[in-house]
Amino acid sequence: MSNWHVLQRETIKADRFEVVVERVQLPNQSEAPFSYVKMKHGVCILPILEHNQVICIKQYRHIFQTWEYELPAGGIEEGDQPIDTAKKELLEETGYKAAQWVDLGYIYASVGSTDEVIHLFAAKDLTKHEQQLEESEEIEIEVVDLDELKKWIAEGAFRHSAGIAAVGRYVFRSVDDQVPEE
């Protein structure tokens, strides 16, 4: 297993991100530049209604200047636990609360360019409450059958990487690991 030795590091703050620019020494002793974006960790929730229907959100994404289908997600504030953030984001973005939570593990958002870790959950036994959107959020709710969502993923109509990972983890693993409601 090889390790890179950091020779020099500069951190540049840019709004809600930090960009780390390093000069590293590789195992073969050559030097190379390396940079990445530091981000807070996040959550992504697969909300499942009765009859295998999923609550998707449609949200404007300024980076791409498009409306994108996604699953509810958000950043974990310092000191908060992933499950608590998942509960907050589900209510905020969809207006639903879940009585049953399934821990689907975590993923690295983009291993070559950011240190972001996204914790994945499935939420079941949902009850409707009121959406609590943040000022900058403009979100539409769309309920879709899980099989239809899988079709959207296969066809490229659903591009939310954490959402795709949550669906994949839910479909391909046992859902016995539940986090009880407090």
Side-chain angles (χ1 to χ4, degrees), residues 3-178:
N3 291 320
W4 296 0
H5 177 69
V6 177
L7 301 170
Q8 182 181 5
R9 175 181 290 138
E10 177 185 5
T11 302
I12 303 160
K13 180 82 171 143
D15 190 26
R16 59 190 174 124
F17 308 109
E18 290 182 353
V19 178
V20 178
V21 180
E22 296 178 336
R23 184 107 192 123
V24 298
Q25 185 176 44
L26 303 173
N28 67 5
Q29 303 306 307
S30 65
E31 293 183 15
F34 185 79
S35 60
Y36 61 95
V37 177
K38 289 184 68 69
M39 298 178 67
K40 60 172 104 170
H41 292 191
V43 298
C44 180
I45 306 103
L46 175 64
I48 303 170
L49 295 164
E50 292 180 355
H51 311 295
N52 262 349
Q53 291 192 307
V54 175
I55 300 170
C56 291
I57 63 175
K58 191 173 182 184
Q59 185 167 204
Y60 179 73
R61 291 303 185 178
H62 181 69
I63 293 170
F64 302 109
Q65 297 184 2
T66 62
W67 283 82
E68 293 294 320
Y69 287 108
E70 303 176 6
L71 293 181
I76 302 171
E77 297 299 329
E78 192 170 331
D80 288 350
Q81 293 299 310
I83 186 64
D84 297 325
T85 299
K87 290 174 182 180
K88 179 181 77 77
E89 291 294 337
L90 178 65
L91 179 61
E92 177 184 296
E93 294 186 357
T94 70
Y96 281 86
K97 288 186 179 182
Q100 182 183 6
W101 288 88
V102 181
D103 185 342
L104 299 173
Y106 65 89
I107 61 168
Y108 298 127
S110 180
V111 296
S113 58
T114 178
D115 68 349
E116 184 181 20
V117 174
I118 301 176
H119 300 266
L120 308 172
F121 296 94
K124 297 175 138 188
D125 194 9
L126 302 175
T127 55
K128 182 70 174 137
H129 296 267
E130 190 171 323
Q131 225 177 358
Q132 300 174 4
L133 297 176
E134 292 178 9
E135 187 176 300
S136 65
E137 292 177 318
E138 189 176 353
I139 293 175
E140 297 175 9
I141 303 295
E142 181 139 352
V143 176
V144 61
D145 186 77
L146 180 59
D147 287 335
E148 182 70 15
L149 179 55
K150 291 189 294 187
K151 184 177 172 186
W152 287 2
I153 291 168
E155 293 173 349
F158 186 96
R159 295 176 283 268
H160 182 220
S161 61
I164 293 168
V167 170
R169 287 273 177 90
Y170 181 77
V171 168
F172 292 116
R173 78 184 289 264
S174 167
V175 292
D176 293 334
D177 304 324
Q178 298 177 12

